[in-house]
Amino acid sequence: MRVVADIPNPHVKITLHSYNGKYILKIEKANLEQIYKIDETEVDGDEGVKALIDEEFIELVLNRFQDMRDAFVSSLRRNA
């Protein structure tokens, strides 16, 4: 897997990889991560992937991170 770009964002760490005909968009916040696999034929190169990362997408990603954290914390409380 080859790192194509680190995409700056004040809220999350975003890394774009290329592997086996796909772009792998890895988004990290604290100890959680989200990965999106995008077929190279679906976008116009690296810049096409970067264009997908708009304000609305980041907002939804941040909400999903909150949901992930809430689910994990709830599980810890139930099972600790």
Side-chain angles (χ1 to χ4, degrees):
M1 188 163 24
R2 175 177 70 90
V3 173
V4 175
D6 288 315
I7 301 167
N9 185 279
H11 307 289
V12 292
K13 179 182 179 193
I14 303 174
T15 309
L16 179 61
H17 301 268
S18 178
Y19 178 72
N20 214 18
K22 295 192 183 303
Y23 287 106
I24 312 296
L25 185 62
K26 182 176 177 182
I27 306 171
E28 301 172 77
K29 184 172 176 94
N31 62 337
L32 301 172
E33 69 180 35
Q34 295 177 44
I35 296 177
Y36 297 84
K37 296 179 181 179
I38 306 157
D39 195 281
E40 288 180 351
T41 62
E42 292 182 315
V43 292
D44 188 22
D46 306 355
E47 294 305 314
V49 177
K50 291 175 186 178
L52 298 174
I53 307 169
D54 60 11
E55 191 174 312
E56 184 176 346
F57 178 76
I58 292 296
E59 183 178 334
L60 292 168
V61 164
L62 291 171
N63 291 340
R64 191 165 296 114
F65 274 128
Q66 187 61 52
D67 291 343
M68 291 168 68
R69 177 157 172 63
D70 292 346
F72 183 69
V73 168
S74 292
S75 183
L76 279 175
R77 288 182 180 149
R78 284 191 313 276
N79 296 294

